[in-house]
Amino acid sequence: MSISIKLMRAVREMSPSLCIVFLLLTCGMLSAQSQAHRVRNIVLVHGAWADGSGWRGVYEILVKDGYNVSIVQEPETSFHDDVTAVKRVLALQDGPSILVAHSYGGAVITEAGTDPSVVGLVYVAAHMPDSGEKESEDGERFPSDLAKSGAIKTTPDGFTYIDPGQFHELFAADLPGDQAAFMARSQVLNFADNFSATITTAAWRTKPSWMVVAGSDRTINPDLERWYAQRAKSHTVDVAGASHSVYVSHPKEVAGVIESAARTLSK
């Protein structure tokens, strides 16, 4: 006699009260199994010339919807330091995580995302190099307005920043002027060599990925973002009219893509 038939007979022979208890226990077990498979850890990674505070709007939406959100503050002193900073935060998570990155942060999570705890990657107007590639060389495929503008300045000790007078138009055109001005004056200077770091192993080659294309991006050419996404076979969402600061100006759309990724990876 099969186990399932025995179980059915046992249930029929139970008293109504015991049957209710049995059903409640079964439902509880199924619910626990469902929770165990749910991806709830989201780790947000900023890009060059920015810090984690730009994720505030996305963070608030995700937390409200029940996700455990952590924000990495990369030092931008070296590519290795930034990858290490991401892995340090990943090590603090309980269970599988989704890595989300903006801009230069995309190269960082491409390298850091090989960590076994990472189950998916979301790129937000971000670079997505392959193994053996450099972000700087990929950018030459589809040059951006920023790259052609001369607005990227370098300090005597080799750190880069965007000319504050051109920051609004090239990095954050769809944000209010006062907000863009604050971002321009609070830039985290990025070590120039970081853009030329070579990816050793591209995490997106073995893990599902998503790309948010900023339709009016002048810092990374939107066509490069689309090219990256097509090569990686990423789930792609194009936010029309969005600047490079799409994660700040369109938090609902960006959070929606992240939550879609979490639902897909929880099945």
Side-chain angles (χ1 to χ4, degrees):
M1 185 183 297
S2 70
I3 295 175
S4 60
I5 294 175
K6 289 181 178 179
L7 184 60
M8 289 173 64
R9 286 185 177 178
V11 170
R12 284 200 298 267
E13 294 171 0
M14 287 181 183
S15 66
S17 58
L18 285 176
C19 190
I20 291 173
V21 171
F22 175 80
L23 290 173
L24 288 173
L25 288 172
T26 302
C27 290
M29 290 173 61
L30 291 174
S31 176
Q33 289 176 351
S34 176
Q35 290 295 320
H37 288 91
R38 182 188 173 201
V39 178
R40 63 184 184 86
N41 297 320
I42 311 295
V43 176
L44 305 175
V45 180
H46 63 79
W49 312 309
D51 66 14
S53 64
W55 289 111
R56 180 67 180 268
V58 172
Y59 167 87
E60 290 179 344
I61 294 170
L62 294 175
V63 169
K64 181 177 179 292
D65 291 342
Y67 291 91
N68 174 40
V69 185
S70 300
I71 301 173
V72 179
Q73 294 284 19
E74 301 136 276
E76 300 186 38
T77 48
S78 76
F79 186 73
H80 177 268
D81 289 347
D82 293 340
V83 170
T84 299
V86 172
K87 290 187 174 182
R88 186 179 298 121
V89 173
L90 283 173
L92 299 176
Q93 308 306 306
D94 180 15
S97 299
I98 294 174
L99 271 181
V100 183
H102 174 248
S103 195
Y104 155 77
V108 176
I109 70 165
T110 294
E111 186 78 15
T114 56
D115 188 284
S117 68
V118 176
V119 293
L121 307 120
V122 179
Y123 293 81
V124 181
H127 282 287
M128 197 178 188
D130 201 354
S131 302
E133 290 183 354
K134 302 175 181 179
E135 172 188 320
S136 57
E137 293 178 354
D138 282 344
E140 295 173 2
R141 298 174 185 271
F142 300 91
S144 68
D145 289 344
L146 173 63
K148 295 179 285 187
S149 70
I152 299 177
K153 308 298 182 181
T154 306
T155 64
D157 60 345
F159 283 77
T160 63
Y161 64 98
I162 298 176
D163 178 1
Q166 296 175 273
F167 189 95
H168 190 188
E169 62 175 307
L170 293 171
F171 197 92
D174 57 352
L175 291 175
D178 58 346
Q179 186 175 5
F182 180 81
M183 291 172 65
R185 292 299 177 182
S186 62
Q187 293 182 63
V188 178
L189 277 62
N190 193 35
F191 191 52
D193 288 354
N194 293 350
F195 300 120
S196 298
T198 301
I199 301 298
T200 58
T201 304
W204 56 262
R205 280 289 180 185
T206 56
K207 298 180 181 184
S209 62
W210 284 256
M211 172 68 82
V212 176
V213 175
S216 295
D217 197 334
R218 301 186 67 189
T219 298
I220 298 177
N221 193 318
D223 288 334
L224 178 59
E225 295 166 16
R226 297 185 186 101
W227 180 83
Y228 278 138
Q230 183 177 16
R231 178 175 69 171
K233 298 180 174 57
S234 306
H235 308 272
T236 307
V237 174
D238 200 313
V239 183
S243 76
H244 189 58
S245 295
V246 59
Y247 69 117
V248 181
S249 60
H250 292 77
K252 290 183 180 179
E253 289 89 339
V254 173
V257 173
I258 296 169
E259 292 192 8
S260 176
R263 287 193 297 270
T264 299
L265 295 167
S266 295
K267 294 179 180 177

